[in-house]
Amino acid sequence: MLQRPRRNRKSEVIRQMVQETVLQPANLIFPLFIVDGNAQKTEVNSMPGIFRHSIDHLLREVESCVKLGLKAFDLFPNIEESLKDKYATESYRENSLYLRAIKEVKQNFPEVCVVTDVAMDPYSSDGHDGIVENGEILNDETLEVLGKMALAHAHAGADIIAPSDMMDGRVGYIRQVLDDNKFTNVSIMSYAAKYASAFYGPFRDALKSAPKHGDKKSYQMNPANQREALIEARLDEAEGADFLMVKPALPYLDVIKLLHENSELPIAAYNVSGEYAMIKSAVKNGWLDEQRATMEVLLGIRRAGATSILTYHAKEVLEKGWL
């Protein structure tokens, strides 16, 4: 027997020597939820270990993460219902909660990377990612709102703008708005392939942003489709995207790999709230070893081709020394 692959597995040293996929802190982006007020830190019921932070607590959380070597964060706002309207005007209002949070993080931690979410749903009285008229999500009219939102984020100090709305043409529109206002160095991380998934439930619980009526299937992608992701990715790349994202991650590892093999752009993947909640629930019931399951998931996403992973596990894997 000329080849015995087990020879390369016979010790931990050799296993590490031939390891093909490596996960580092630089590959991780930590999503953080923000609420208004002071001294607020409330756990999300469906996401054990994940909290909604007022800005003062947000800064403490970022500081603790930076000390662990985690330096990229994606911010998401929990907006009071009274501030929501049909056109999501709170999303770009000067001195709003979200814009204050971006400014505070960048002023206190200029070395970190702040990713911002561009979509109407946290601010919309309809709970949709676009303007709603007679039950229809208006595409082109929504772009103007997204452009105002992206520009406000750039003014506040965002490093990367991440449009998650899935409106056609939004990457090109936002790129033009940013460039016209001299924010040519602000990157765009496009949610290129965002699927109409069942795995977003805990996230919507955290932000209270579920649609008030209907669903998002007319703009988010059909889970049955893979090749359609290439169409979306190629359009976003042509419009000026700097990163392409796949969301969710685990049911769409094939899509991550497909985009990785067909684009020179870095691929991001969102290990979403439902995927996180599944592991936490199984661990709580004693059905899984948390460290092994978590690391297997994250390595699997990396192995599929993701350069960056947005994951709620980001802090704990460093805090617990799993990397």
Side-chain angles (χ1 to χ4, degrees), residues 98-109:
Y98 196 57
L99 299 183
R100 285 187 284 116
I102 298 167
K103 288 177 184 176
E104 287 287 342
V105 172
K106 286 302 294 183
Q107 286 173 2
N108 286 275
F109 306 97

Side-chain angles (χ1 to χ4, degrees), residues 74 76 116-122 127-130 146 162-168 170 189-201 203-204 207 209 211 216-226 228-233 236 244-249 251-252 255-256 259 267-270 272-273 275 310 312:
D74 199 348
F76 296 93
T116 63
D117 181 59
V118 171
M120 286 180 59
D121 56 330
H128 275 284
D129 295 44
L146 301 178
S164 61
D165 55 285
M166 289 301 287
M167 298 296 115
D168 292 339
R170 89 275 203 210
M189 177 183 284
S190 168
Y191 284 62
K194 182 178 180 180
Y195 287 84
S197 173
F199 289 91
Y200 302 149
F203 177 93
R204 292 174 182 169
L207 296 189
S209 63
K216 300 191 176 187
K217 292 180 180 179
S218 73
Y219 47 100
Q220 294 180 357
M221 288 175 55
N222 184 343
N225 292 358
Q226 181 195 66
E228 185 183 4
L230 276 179
I231 297 172
E232 292 282 4
D236 289 355
L244 301 174
M245 190 196 297
V246 177
K247 180 182 180 182
Y252 302 97
V255 178
I256 296 170
L259 298 196
I267 307 301
Y270 202 145
V272 298
S273 58
E275 297 167 1
L310 288 82
Y312 301 96

Side-chain angles (χ1 to χ4, degrees), residues 4 23 34 80 145-146 149 174 193 200 207 215 236 278:
R4 288 184 178 269
L23 182 68
I34 311 161
E80 292 286 342
V145 178
L146 301 178
M149 197 185 311
I174 291 170
Y200 302 149
L207 296 189
D215 55 42
D236 289 355
M278 284 195 304

